[in-house]
Amino acid sequence: MDVNAAVAALAAIAGVCTGVIAMLAFRWSERDQARPTRSSLHTDAVLPPGVDTVLSVLRSSAVVLDESDSVVKASSAAYALGLVRGGKLAVDAMLHMARDTRRDGEIRQVELDLPRRGTGRGEALAVSARVAPLGSRLVLLLVEDLTEARRIEAVRRDFVANVSHELKTPTGALSLLSEAVMDASDDPEAVTRFAGRMQIEATRLTNLVQELIDLSRVQNDDPLEDAEPVLVDELVDEAMDRSRHPASTKQITMAAGGTADLYVWGNRGQLAAALGNLVENAVNYSPARTRVGIAGRRISAPGGDLIEIAVTDQGIGISEKDRERVFERFYRVDPARSRATGGTGLGLAIVKHVAASHGGEVTVWSSEGQGSTFTLRLPEAGAVRDRASGRGPVTVDEDDDVPYETFSSAVPVSQAIVPAPEVLP
Protein backbone atom coordinates (compact mmCIF):
# COMPACT_ATOMS: atom_id res chain seq x y z
CA MET A 1 0.00 0.00 0.00
CA ASP A 2 2.85 2.38 0.79
CA VAL A 3 4.41 1.64 -2.62
CA ASN A 4 1.15 2.35 -4.46
CA ALA A 5 0.65 5.57 -2.57
CA ALA A 6 4.19 6.71 -3.45
CA VAL A 7 3.62 5.97 -7.15
CA ALA A 8 0.34 7.91 -7.15
CA ALA A 9 2.00 10.88 -5.45
CA LEU A 10 4.80 10.92 -8.01
CA ALA A 11 2.30 10.75 -10.89
CA ALA A 12 0.35 13.68 -9.44
CA ILE A 13 3.51 15.75 -9.07
CA ALA A 14 4.55 14.94 -12.66
CA GLY A 15 1.12 16.00 -14.00
CA VAL A 16 1.29 19.29 -12.12
CA CYS A 17 4.78 20.01 -13.49
CA THR A 18 3.66 19.20 -17.05
CA GLY A 19 0.70 21.57 -16.76
CA VAL A 20 2.88 24.36 -15.43
CA ILE A 21 5.41 23.89 -18.22
CA ALA A 22 2.64 23.88 -20.89
CA MET A 23 1.13 27.07 -19.47
CA LEU A 24 4.50 28.83 -19.42
CA ALA A 25 5.21 27.74 -23.00
CA PHE A 26 1.82 29.09 -24.14
CA ARG A 27 2.42 32.44 -22.44
CA TRP A 28 5.90 32.65 -23.93
CA SER A 29 4.53 31.94 -27.41
CA GLU A 30 1.91 34.68 -27.06
CA ARG A 31 4.58 37.13 -25.91
CA ASP A 32 6.79 36.29 -28.91
CA GLN A 33 3.90 36.82 -31.33
CA ALA A 34 3.05 40.18 -29.79
CA ARG A 35 6.66 41.37 -29.76
CA PRO A 36 7.59 43.44 -32.92
CA THR A 37 10.18 41.74 -35.09
CA ARG A 38 12.89 43.33 -37.22
CA SER A 39 10.80 42.93 -40.37
CA SER A 40 7.62 44.28 -38.81
CA LEU A 41 9.36 47.52 -37.91
CA HIS A 42 9.45 48.32 -41.65
CA THR A 43 5.85 47.56 -42.51
CA ASP A 44 2.87 49.81 -42.84
CA ALA A 45 2.05 49.30 -39.13
CA VAL A 46 4.58 51.98 -38.12
CA LEU A 47 2.95 54.60 -40.33
CA PRO A 48 0.46 56.98 -38.72
CA PRO A 49 -3.18 56.06 -39.42
CA GLY A 50 -4.36 57.10 -42.89
CA VAL A 51 -0.89 57.93 -44.25
CA ASP A 52 -0.67 54.75 -46.31
CA THR A 53 -3.98 55.56 -48.01
CA VAL A 54 -2.92 59.13 -48.78
CA LEU A 55 0.41 58.04 -50.25
CA SER A 56 -1.29 55.52 -52.51
CA VAL A 57 -3.33 58.22 -54.29
CA LEU A 58 -0.57 60.81 -54.69
CA ARG A 59 0.69 61.46 -58.24
CA SER A 60 4.16 62.22 -56.89
CA SER A 61 6.68 59.53 -56.07
CA ALA A 62 6.57 58.99 -52.29
CA VAL A 63 9.21 57.58 -49.94
CA VAL A 64 8.99 57.30 -46.14
CA LEU A 65 12.27 56.93 -44.19
CA ASP A 66 12.76 55.95 -40.55
CA GLU A 67 15.41 57.16 -38.11
CA SER A 68 18.00 54.77 -39.58
CA ASP A 69 17.38 56.03 -43.16
CA SER A 70 15.72 52.73 -44.09
CA VAL A 71 12.78 52.86 -46.48
CA VAL A 72 9.55 52.14 -44.58
CA LYS A 73 7.21 52.83 -47.50
CA ALA A 74 7.85 53.61 -51.17
CA SER A 75 5.46 53.98 -54.08
CA SER A 76 5.93 52.08 -57.33
CA ALA A 77 6.76 55.34 -59.09
CA ALA A 78 9.70 55.83 -56.71
CA TYR A 79 11.10 52.46 -57.75
CA ALA A 80 10.49 53.26 -61.42
CA LEU A 81 12.47 56.50 -61.13
CA GLY A 82 15.32 54.65 -59.44
CA LEU A 83 14.99 56.52 -56.16
CA VAL A 84 14.93 53.35 -54.02
CA ARG A 85 17.34 50.44 -54.36
CA GLY A 86 17.84 47.62 -51.89
CA GLY A 87 15.59 49.18 -49.28
CA LYS A 88 17.64 52.40 -49.23
CA LEU A 89 17.25 55.84 -50.78
CA ALA A 90 19.67 55.86 -53.73
CA VAL A 91 19.98 59.64 -54.24
CA ASP A 92 22.56 61.16 -51.90
CA ALA A 93 21.24 64.71 -52.20
CA MET A 94 17.77 63.61 -51.10
CA LEU A 95 19.23 61.51 -48.30
CA HIS A 96 21.10 64.53 -46.92
CA MET A 97 17.89 66.59 -47.11
CA ALA A 98 16.02 63.90 -45.16
CA ARG A 99 18.67 63.85 -42.42
CA ASP A 100 18.63 67.64 -42.09
CA THR A 101 14.83 67.67 -41.88
CA ARG A 102 14.86 64.91 -39.25
CA ARG A 103 17.33 66.98 -37.22
CA ASP A 104 15.61 70.38 -37.27
CA GLY A 105 12.04 69.57 -38.47
CA GLU A 106 12.12 72.09 -41.34
CA ILE A 107 10.52 71.42 -44.72
CA ARG A 108 12.98 71.50 -47.60
CA GLN A 109 12.54 71.57 -51.39
CA VAL A 110 15.03 71.43 -54.23
CA GLU A 111 15.12 70.69 -57.98
CA LEU A 112 17.63 68.11 -59.18
CA ASP A 113 18.81 66.58 -62.46
CA LEU A 114 19.21 62.84 -62.07
CA PRO A 115 20.73 60.37 -64.54
CA ARG A 116 18.05 58.36 -66.31
CA ARG A 117 18.25 54.64 -65.62
CA GLY A 118 18.48 52.15 -68.46
CA THR A 119 19.77 54.55 -71.13
CA GLY A 120 23.28 55.15 -72.32
CA ARG A 121 22.51 58.53 -73.88
CA GLY A 122 23.19 60.56 -70.75
CA GLU A 123 19.69 62.00 -70.64
CA ALA A 124 18.88 63.84 -67.41
CA LEU A 125 15.72 63.35 -65.40
CA ALA A 126 14.49 66.64 -63.97
CA VAL A 127 12.74 66.25 -60.61
CA SER A 128 11.49 68.41 -57.75
CA ALA A 129 12.07 66.88 -54.30
CA ARG A 130 10.25 68.00 -51.15
CA VAL A 131 11.08 66.63 -47.68
CA ALA A 132 8.88 67.05 -44.58
CA PRO A 133 8.77 65.44 -41.10
CA LEU A 134 6.12 62.75 -40.59
CA GLY A 135 5.56 62.26 -36.88
CA SER A 136 8.45 62.14 -34.45
CA ARG A 137 10.61 59.47 -36.16
CA LEU A 138 9.67 59.38 -39.83
CA VAL A 139 10.49 61.62 -42.80
CA LEU A 140 8.35 61.92 -45.94
CA LEU A 141 9.97 62.52 -49.34
CA LEU A 142 7.78 63.56 -52.31
CA VAL A 143 9.39 63.65 -55.77
CA GLU A 144 7.72 65.16 -58.84
CA ASP A 145 8.98 64.36 -62.35
CA LEU A 146 9.45 67.67 -64.20
CA THR A 147 11.10 66.27 -67.33
CA GLU A 148 8.08 66.51 -69.61
CA ALA A 149 7.07 69.89 -68.23
CA ARG A 150 10.55 71.27 -68.93
CA ARG A 151 10.50 69.85 -72.44
CA ILE A 152 7.13 71.45 -73.17
CA GLU A 153 8.33 74.74 -71.74
CA ALA A 154 11.45 74.62 -73.94
CA VAL A 155 9.29 73.92 -77.00
CA ARG A 156 7.02 76.81 -76.06
CA ARG A 157 9.96 79.19 -75.66
CA ASP A 158 11.40 78.13 -79.01
CA PHE A 159 8.00 78.53 -80.63
CA VAL A 160 7.55 82.06 -79.27
CA ALA A 161 11.08 83.00 -80.32
CA ASN A 162 10.54 81.61 -83.82
CA VAL A 163 7.17 83.32 -84.21
CA SER A 164 8.66 86.62 -83.07
CA HIS A 165 11.48 86.27 -85.60
CA GLU A 166 9.18 85.25 -88.44
CA LEU A 167 6.79 88.11 -87.77
CA LYS A 168 9.59 90.62 -87.42
CA THR A 169 10.98 89.90 -90.89
CA PRO A 170 7.94 90.88 -93.01
CA THR A 171 6.82 93.67 -90.67
CA GLY A 172 10.31 95.18 -90.75
CA ALA A 173 10.37 94.90 -94.52
CA LEU A 174 6.98 96.61 -94.78
CA SER A 175 8.21 99.45 -92.58
CA LEU A 176 11.31 100.00 -94.72
CA LEU A 177 9.39 99.74 -97.98
CA SER A 178 6.79 102.25 -96.81
CA GLU A 179 9.59 104.74 -96.06
CA ALA A 180 11.06 104.07 -99.49
CA VAL A 181 7.67 104.77 -101.11
CA MET A 182 7.41 108.07 -99.27
CA ASP A 183 10.92 109.10 -100.34
CA ALA A 184 10.24 108.11 -103.96
CA SER A 185 6.88 109.85 -104.24
CA ASP A 186 8.11 111.78 -107.31
CA ASP A 187 9.26 108.60 -109.09
CA PRO A 188 6.23 106.57 -110.27
CA GLU A 189 8.40 103.67 -111.41
CA ALA A 190 10.08 103.33 -108.01
CA VAL A 191 6.73 103.61 -106.23
CA THR A 192 5.35 100.79 -108.38
CA ARG A 193 8.41 98.61 -107.66
CA PHE A 194 8.30 99.22 -103.93
CA ALA A 195 4.53 98.71 -103.81
CA GLY A 196 5.00 95.32 -105.47
CA ARG A 197 7.54 94.34 -102.83
CA MET A 198 5.16 95.50 -100.12
CA GLN A 199 2.45 93.31 -101.57
CA ILE A 200 4.80 90.29 -101.45
CA GLU A 201 5.71 90.92 -97.81
CA ALA A 202 2.08 91.50 -96.87
CA THR A 203 1.14 88.19 -98.49
CA ARG A 204 3.92 86.42 -96.60
CA LEU A 205 2.72 87.96 -93.33
CA THR A 206 -0.87 86.92 -94.07
CA ASN A 207 0.19 83.37 -94.86
CA LEU A 208 2.22 83.13 -91.67
CA VAL A 209 -0.65 84.32 -89.49
CA GLN A 210 -3.08 81.96 -91.23
CA GLU A 211 -0.79 78.96 -90.77
CA LEU A 212 -0.32 79.84 -87.10
CA ILE A 213 -4.10 79.82 -86.76
CA ASP A 214 -4.32 76.50 -88.63
CA LEU A 215 -1.62 74.93 -86.47
CA SER A 216 -3.35 76.08 -83.27
CA ARG A 217 -6.64 74.68 -84.55
CA VAL A 218 -5.32 71.23 -85.41
CA GLN A 219 -3.53 71.02 -82.05
CA ASN A 220 -6.55 71.97 -79.94
CA ASP A 221 -9.55 70.64 -81.87
CA ASP A 222 -10.70 67.04 -81.97
CA PRO A 223 -11.07 66.27 -85.69
CA LEU A 224 -13.05 63.10 -85.03
CA GLU A 225 -15.95 65.04 -83.49
CA ASP A 226 -17.02 66.08 -87.00
CA ALA A 227 -15.53 63.08 -88.76
CA GLU A 228 -17.07 61.73 -91.94
CA PRO A 229 -16.06 59.54 -94.88
CA VAL A 230 -13.97 61.71 -97.21
CA LEU A 231 -13.31 60.76 -100.83
CA VAL A 232 -9.57 60.77 -101.53
CA ASP A 233 -10.10 61.76 -105.17
CA GLU A 234 -11.76 64.99 -104.02
CA LEU A 235 -8.87 65.77 -101.67
CA VAL A 236 -6.38 65.21 -104.49
CA ASP A 237 -8.33 67.43 -106.90
CA GLU A 238 -8.54 70.20 -104.32
CA ALA A 239 -4.82 69.97 -103.56
CA MET A 240 -3.93 70.13 -107.25
CA ASP A 241 -6.22 73.13 -107.83
CA ARG A 242 -4.51 74.92 -104.95
CA SER A 243 -1.09 74.57 -106.63
CA ARG A 244 -2.16 74.74 -110.27
CA HIS A 245 -1.09 78.34 -110.83
CA PRO A 246 2.47 78.07 -109.42
CA ALA A 247 2.85 74.73 -111.20
CA SER A 248 1.86 76.21 -114.57
CA THR A 249 4.19 79.15 -113.98
CA LYS A 250 7.12 76.71 -113.58
CA GLN A 251 5.78 74.37 -116.29
CA ILE A 252 5.46 71.55 -113.76
CA THR A 253 3.13 68.69 -114.71
CA MET A 254 0.93 67.36 -111.91
CA ALA A 255 -0.28 63.79 -112.42
CA ALA A 256 -2.85 62.06 -110.20
CA GLY A 257 -3.63 58.37 -110.17
CA GLY A 258 -3.63 55.17 -108.17
CA THR A 259 -6.71 53.38 -106.83
CA ALA A 260 -9.98 55.22 -107.37
CA ASP A 261 -12.91 55.63 -104.95
CA LEU A 262 -10.91 55.42 -101.74
CA TYR A 263 -12.39 56.88 -98.57
CA VAL A 264 -10.68 58.02 -95.39
CA TRP A 265 -12.31 58.83 -92.06
CA GLY A 266 -11.78 62.30 -90.62
CA ASN A 267 -12.30 66.04 -90.80
CA ARG A 268 -12.49 67.07 -94.43
CA GLY A 269 -11.06 70.56 -93.95
CA GLN A 270 -8.01 69.40 -92.03
CA LEU A 271 -7.31 66.54 -94.43
CA ALA A 272 -7.57 68.88 -97.41
CA ALA A 273 -5.15 71.33 -95.77
CA ALA A 274 -2.63 68.56 -95.00
CA LEU A 275 -2.60 67.11 -98.52
CA GLY A 276 -2.60 70.61 -99.99
CA ASN A 277 0.55 71.46 -98.02
CA LEU A 278 2.32 68.35 -99.32
CA VAL A 279 1.46 69.12 -102.95
CA GLU A 280 2.34 72.79 -102.52
CA ASN A 281 5.76 71.89 -101.09
CA ALA A 282 6.38 69.45 -103.93
CA VAL A 283 5.69 72.18 -106.49
CA ASN A 284 7.68 74.88 -104.69
CA TYR A 285 10.78 72.69 -104.30
CA SER A 286 10.72 71.21 -107.81
CA PRO A 287 12.73 72.64 -110.70
CA ALA A 288 10.93 73.93 -113.77
CA ARG A 289 9.62 71.44 -116.35
CA THR A 290 9.50 68.48 -113.95
CA ARG A 291 6.62 66.35 -112.68
CA VAL A 292 4.77 65.95 -109.39
CA GLY A 293 2.76 62.77 -108.82
CA ILE A 294 -0.07 62.11 -106.36
CA ALA A 295 -1.23 58.51 -105.96
CA GLY A 296 -3.42 56.64 -103.49
CA ARG A 297 -3.82 52.99 -102.62
CA ARG A 298 -5.19 50.70 -99.93
CA ILE A 299 -2.77 48.76 -97.73
CA SER A 300 -3.40 46.11 -95.10
CA ALA A 301 -2.54 46.79 -91.45
CA PRO A 302 -3.10 44.84 -88.19
CA GLY A 303 -5.67 47.33 -86.90
CA GLY A 304 -7.54 47.63 -90.19
CA ASP A 305 -6.88 48.78 -93.72
CA LEU A 306 -5.11 52.10 -94.27
CA ILE A 307 -5.25 54.52 -97.17
CA GLU A 308 -1.84 55.62 -98.36
CA ILE A 309 -1.51 58.87 -100.31
CA ALA A 310 1.95 59.50 -101.76
CA VAL A 311 3.15 62.85 -103.13
CA THR A 312 6.34 62.51 -105.17
CA ASP A 313 8.47 65.21 -106.80
CA GLN A 314 11.72 65.54 -108.71
CA GLY A 315 13.03 68.35 -106.55
CA ILE A 316 16.22 69.09 -104.69
CA GLY A 317 15.73 66.24 -102.22
CA ILE A 318 16.41 66.21 -98.49
CA SER A 319 19.62 65.16 -96.80
CA GLU A 320 19.60 62.39 -94.20
CA LYS A 321 20.30 64.77 -91.32
CA ASP A 322 17.41 67.03 -92.34
CA ARG A 323 14.87 64.25 -92.86
CA GLU A 324 14.57 63.77 -89.08
CA ARG A 325 13.61 67.41 -88.56
CA VAL A 326 11.52 68.44 -91.57
CA PHE A 327 8.30 68.07 -89.55
CA GLU A 328 9.45 70.47 -86.82
CA ARG A 329 7.81 73.87 -86.66
CA PHE A 330 9.73 76.61 -88.50
CA TYR A 331 12.44 74.17 -89.60
CA ARG A 332 13.61 74.77 -93.16
CA VAL A 333 15.97 72.59 -95.17
CA ASP A 334 16.99 75.62 -97.25
CA PRO A 335 15.98 78.85 -95.45
CA ALA A 336 16.89 81.09 -98.39
CA ARG A 337 14.83 79.02 -100.82
CA SER A 338 11.92 78.82 -98.37
CA ARG A 339 11.77 82.58 -98.05
CA ALA A 340 12.01 82.95 -101.83
CA THR A 341 8.98 80.68 -102.26
CA GLY A 342 7.05 82.28 -99.41
CA GLY A 343 7.35 79.26 -97.14
CA THR A 344 6.66 79.71 -93.42
CA GLY A 345 8.16 76.48 -92.09
CA LEU A 346 4.81 75.41 -90.62
CA GLY A 347 3.30 73.42 -93.49
CA LEU A 348 4.80 70.02 -92.63
CA ALA A 349 4.19 70.57 -88.91
CA ILE A 350 0.49 70.97 -89.72
CA VAL A 351 0.57 67.79 -91.81
CA LYS A 352 2.15 65.87 -88.93
CA HIS A 353 -0.46 67.03 -86.41
CA VAL A 354 -3.36 66.30 -88.76
CA ALA A 355 -2.06 62.78 -89.45
CA ALA A 356 -1.52 62.04 -85.75
CA SER A 357 -4.91 63.39 -84.67
CA HIS A 358 -6.58 61.18 -87.31
CA GLY A 359 -4.82 58.05 -86.09
CA GLY A 360 -2.35 58.01 -88.99
CA GLU A 361 1.18 59.10 -89.79
CA VAL A 362 3.26 60.91 -92.38
CA THR A 363 6.67 59.67 -93.55
CA VAL A 364 9.27 60.88 -96.01
CA TRP A 365 11.61 59.16 -98.44
CA SER A 366 14.16 61.33 -100.19
CA SER A 367 17.44 61.31 -102.08
CA GLU A 368 19.46 64.47 -102.59
CA GLY A 369 19.28 65.72 -106.13
CA GLN A 370 16.63 63.15 -107.12
CA GLY A 371 13.47 64.11 -105.29
CA SER A 372 11.25 63.25 -102.34
CA THR A 373 8.13 61.23 -101.57
CA PHE A 374 5.91 62.21 -98.67
CA THR A 375 3.42 59.51 -97.72
CA LEU A 376 0.28 60.20 -95.72
CA ARG A 377 -1.31 57.09 -94.16
CA LEU A 378 -4.83 57.38 -92.73
CA PRO A 379 -7.47 54.91 -91.50
CA GLU A 380 -9.93 53.84 -94.16
CA ALA A 381 -13.60 54.74 -93.64
CA GLY A 382 -15.16 51.47 -92.46
CA ALA A 383 -18.74 50.29 -92.73
CA VAL A 384 -19.36 50.51 -88.97
CA ARG A 385 -18.34 54.15 -88.78
CA ASP A 386 -20.31 54.96 -91.93
CA ARG A 387 -23.49 53.47 -90.48
CA ALA A 388 -22.91 55.34 -87.23
CA SER A 389 -22.68 58.60 -89.17
CA GLY A 390 -25.96 57.88 -90.95
CA ARG A 391 -24.42 57.92 -94.41
CA GLY A 392 -24.58 54.20 -95.07
CA PRO A 393 -21.66 51.99 -96.03
CA VAL A 394 -19.15 53.11 -98.60
CA THR A 395 -18.73 50.63 -101.43
CA VAL A 396 -15.82 50.37 -103.80
CA ASP A 397 -16.05 48.56 -107.12
CA GLU A 398 -12.80 46.66 -107.32
CA ASP A 399 -13.26 46.26 -111.07
CA ASP A 400 -12.83 50.01 -111.51
CA ASP A 401 -9.54 50.21 -109.57
CA VAL A 402 -6.75 51.96 -111.39
CA PRO A 403 -3.33 50.37 -110.89
CA TYR A 404 -1.29 52.24 -108.29
CA GLU A 405 1.55 52.68 -110.74
CA THR A 406 -0.68 54.32 -113.40
CA PHE A 407 -1.57 58.01 -113.37
CA SER A 408 -4.67 59.50 -114.90
CA SER A 409 -2.50 61.38 -117.37
CA ALA A 410 -1.41 58.01 -118.80
CA VAL A 411 2.22 58.87 -118.12
CA PRO A 412 4.38 55.90 -117.03
CA VAL A 413 5.70 56.11 -113.52
CA SER A 414 9.28 56.01 -114.73
CA GLN A 415 8.63 59.24 -116.65
CA ALA A 416 6.16 60.86 -114.29
CA ILE A 417 7.92 60.70 -110.94
CA VAL A 418 11.05 59.51 -109.23
CA PRO A 419 10.28 56.04 -107.88
CA ALA A 420 10.53 55.66 -104.11
CA PRO A 421 11.14 52.01 -103.19
CA GLU A 422 9.27 52.36 -99.90
CA VAL A 423 6.15 53.77 -101.59
CA LEU A 424 6.03 52.78 -105.22
CA PRO A 425 7.01 49.16 -105.73
Short mmCIF file of all heavy atoms in Angstrom, two decimals, residues 210-221 350:
data_model
loop_
_atom_site.label_atom_id
_atom_site.label_comp_id
_atom_site.label_asym_id
_atom_site.label_seq_id
_atom_site.Cartn_x
_atom_site.Cartn_y
_atom_site.Cartn_z
N GLN A 210 -2.08 82.97 -90.95
CA GLN A 210 -3.08 81.96 -91.23
C GLN A 210 -2.58 80.56 -90.84
O GLN A 210 -3.34 79.75 -90.28
CB GLN A 210 -3.46 81.99 -92.71
CG GLN A 210 -4.56 81.01 -93.09
CD GLN A 210 -5.84 81.26 -92.32
OE1 GLN A 210 -6.33 82.40 -92.28
NE2 GLN A 210 -6.40 80.22 -91.71
N GLU A 211 -1.32 80.28 -91.13
CA GLU A 211 -0.79 78.96 -90.77
C GLU A 211 -0.63 78.81 -89.26
O GLU A 211 -0.77 77.71 -88.73
CB GLU A 211 0.53 78.71 -91.50
CG GLU A 211 0.37 78.54 -92.99
CD GLU A 211 1.48 77.73 -93.61
OE1 GLU A 211 2.51 77.52 -92.94
OE2 GLU A 211 1.32 77.31 -94.77
N LEU A 212 -0.34 79.90 -88.56
CA LEU A 212 -0.32 79.84 -87.10
C LEU A 212 -1.72 79.52 -86.56
O LEU A 212 -1.87 78.72 -85.63
CB LEU A 212 0.17 81.16 -86.52
CG LEU A 212 1.68 81.44 -86.63
CD1 LEU A 212 1.99 82.87 -86.20
CD2 LEU A 212 2.46 80.45 -85.78
N ILE A 213 -2.72 80.11 -87.16
CA ILE A 213 -4.10 79.82 -86.76
C ILE A 213 -4.44 78.36 -87.07
O ILE A 213 -5.04 77.66 -86.25
CB ILE A 213 -5.08 80.78 -87.46
CG1 ILE A 213 -4.83 82.21 -87.00
CG2 ILE A 213 -6.52 80.35 -87.22
CD1 ILE A 213 -5.64 83.25 -87.75
N ASP A 214 -4.04 77.89 -88.25
CA ASP A 214 -4.32 76.50 -88.63
C ASP A 214 -3.62 75.52 -87.69
O ASP A 214 -4.21 74.50 -87.29
CB ASP A 214 -3.88 76.25 -90.08
CG ASP A 214 -4.72 77.02 -91.08
OD1 ASP A 214 -5.84 77.44 -90.72
OD2 ASP A 214 -4.25 77.22 -92.23
N LEU A 215 -2.36 75.81 -87.36
CA LEU A 215 -1.62 74.93 -86.47
C LEU A 215 -2.26 74.88 -85.09
O LEU A 215 -2.39 73.81 -84.48
CB LEU A 215 -0.17 75.40 -86.36
CG LEU A 215 0.75 74.56 -85.47
CD1 LEU A 215 0.84 73.12 -85.97
CD2 LEU A 215 2.14 75.18 -85.39
N SER A 216 -2.68 76.05 -84.57
CA SER A 216 -3.35 76.08 -83.27
C SER A 216 -4.65 75.30 -83.32
O SER A 216 -5.00 74.59 -82.37
CB SER A 216 -3.61 77.54 -82.86
OG SER A 216 -4.33 77.60 -81.67
N ARG A 217 -5.35 75.38 -84.44
CA ARG A 217 -6.64 74.68 -84.55
C ARG A 217 -6.46 73.17 -84.56
O ARG A 217 -7.17 72.44 -83.87
CB ARG A 217 -7.37 75.14 -85.81
CG ARG A 217 -8.76 74.52 -85.98
CD ARG A 217 -9.45 75.02 -87.22
NE ARG A 217 -9.73 76.45 -87.13
CZ ARG A 217 -9.18 77.37 -87.93
NH1 ARG A 217 -8.32 77.01 -88.87
NH2 ARG A 217 -9.50 78.63 -87.80
N VAL A 218 -5.50 72.68 -85.33
CA VAL A 218 -5.32 71.23 -85.41
C VAL A 218 -4.75 70.66 -84.12
O VAL A 218 -4.93 69.47 -83.82
CB VAL A 218 -4.41 70.84 -86.60
CG1 VAL A 218 -5.00 71.32 -87.91
CG2 VAL A 218 -2.99 71.38 -86.42
N GLN A 219 -4.06 71.49 -83.32
CA GLN A 219 -3.53 71.02 -82.05
C GLN A 219 -4.60 70.96 -80.97
O GLN A 219 -4.54 70.10 -80.09
CB GLN A 219 -2.37 71.92 -81.59
CG GLN A 219 -1.09 71.73 -82.37
CD GLN A 219 0.00 72.65 -81.87
OE1 GLN A 219 -0.23 73.80 -81.54
NE2 GLN A 219 1.21 72.15 -81.83
N ASN A 220 -5.58 71.86 -81.03
CA ASN A 220 -6.55 71.97 -79.94
C ASN A 220 -7.89 71.30 -80.25
O ASN A 220 -8.58 70.88 -79.33
CB ASN A 220 -6.80 73.46 -79.62
CG ASN A 220 -5.55 74.15 -79.11
OD1 ASN A 220 -4.73 73.55 -78.43
ND2 ASN A 220 -5.39 75.43 -79.44
N ASP A 221 -8.25 71.21 -81.52
CA ASP A 221 -9.55 70.64 -81.87
C ASP A 221 -9.47 69.13 -81.99
O ASP A 221 -8.42 68.57 -82.29
CB ASP A 221 -10.05 71.23 -83.19
CG ASP A 221 -10.35 72.72 -83.07
OD1 ASP A 221 -10.40 73.21 -81.93
OD2 ASP A 221 -10.52 73.38 -84.12
N ILE A 350 1.94 71.13 -89.66
CA ILE A 350 0.49 70.97 -89.72
C ILE A 350 0.13 69.59 -90.23
O ILE A 350 -0.78 68.93 -89.71
CB ILE A 350 -0.13 72.07 -90.59
CG1 ILE A 350 0.06 73.45 -89.91
CG2 ILE A 350 -1.59 71.80 -90.87
CD1 ILE A 350 -0.41 74.62 -90.75
#
